[in-house]
Amino acid sequence: MEIRIMSITIYTRNNCVQCLATKRAMENRGVSFEMVNVDQVPDAAETLRARGFRQLPVVIAGETSWSGFRPDMINRLQAQATSA
């Protein structure tokens, strides 16, 4: 089952262990997302820095956003989707 509640974007970069862990956790929970690789889209990195983010991955899901591997936040997204 694929869960789609809002637009979810994961900002990542090449060889990022936390980015890969976040991607896998989302996939394992059936959460649909888009990925943006900041190595390929340098403007995205500038935008994230301007918003105060200093580490990857950055996950933006509607009004919610965070950086780093956050299983608690991924679980919260999944819970919101299943209760909707």
Side-chain angles (χ1 to χ4, degrees), residues 8-19:
I8 299 172
T9 304
I10 302 173
Y11 292 87
T12 183
R13 80 172 339 133
N14 298 333
N15 304 315
C16 170
V17 174
Q18 289 191 37
C19 300

Side-chain angles (χ1 to χ4, degrees), residues 11-84:
Y11 292 87
T12 183
R13 80 172 339 133
N14 298 333
N15 304 315
C16 170
V17 174
Q18 289 191 37
C19 300
L20 182 59
T22 298
K23 176 182 176 275
R24 283 189 180 149
M26 294 269 210
E27 288 173 343
N28 289 341
R29 290 165 178 80
V31 178
S32 178
F33 58 89
E34 294 180 31
M35 291 190 68
V36 175
N37 185 321
V38 299
D39 289 330
Q40 297 169 355
V41 186
D43 289 349
E46 289 301 317
T47 301
L48 293 173
R49 275 194 282 280
R51 291 182 65 180
F53 292 107
R54 297 290 179 254
Q55 88 176 67
L56 293 173
V58 170
V59 177
I60 299 180
E63 298 295 312
T64 304
S65 61
W66 71 86
S67 63
F69 177 52
R70 295 282 309 271
D72 59 320
M73 297 298 290
I74 296 168
N75 288 339
R76 197 173 298 168
L77 282 181
Q78 181 188 24
Q80 287 173 356
T82 56
S83 68

